[in-house]
């Protein structure tokens, strides 16, 4: 596995936040907008259970690099 391009998925059962490390420019928009969910000091650093799906989607849409994307979970 390429350690410089880690892809992680964090699901809350409705949506999954997908993070691609290679694209992240560490602008920290996600951390500023929703610090309950995006905690760069922690492992795992994305805590999808700490906010509503709407809040998470809105914050992911503010990621300037495309490192964060949303995947809808099929039920
Ligand atoms: S907003 Fe996007 S580019 Fe910025 S730190 Fe978060 S994931 Fe990385």
């Amino acid at each position: 596995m390429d350690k410089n391009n880690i892809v992680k998925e964090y699901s809350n059962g409705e949506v999954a936040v997908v993070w691609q490390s290679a694209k992240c420019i560490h602008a920290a928009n996600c951390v500023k907008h929703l610090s309950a969910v995006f905690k760069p000091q922690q492992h795992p650093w994305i805590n999808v259970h700490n906010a509503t799906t709407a809040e998470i989607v809105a914050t992911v849409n503010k990621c300037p690099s495309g490192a964060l994307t949303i995947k809808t979970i099929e039920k």
Side-chain angles (χ1 to χ4, degrees), residues 37-58:
V37 170
F38 298 96
K39 296 176 183 284
Q41 278 13 302
Q42 291 185 10
H43 272 274
W45 80 282
I46 299 178
N47 304 270
V48 287
H49 300 289
N50 289 354
T52 65
T53 293
E55 288 171 323
I56 292 169
V57 170

Side-chain angles (χ1 to χ4, degrees), residues 15-59:
V15 291
V17 176
V18 183
W19 180 67
Q20 299 175 66
S21 70
K23 288 189 183 172
C24 182
I25 55 171
H26 305 287
N29 287 20
C30 52
V31 181
K32 281 180 219 147
H33 284 283
L34 203 55
S35 59
V37 170
F38 298 96
K39 296 176 183 284
Q41 278 13 302
Q42 291 185 10
H43 272 274
W45 80 282
I46 299 178
N47 304 270
V48 287
H49 300 289
N50 289 354
T52 65
T53 293
E55 288 171 323
I56 292 169
V57 170
T59 302

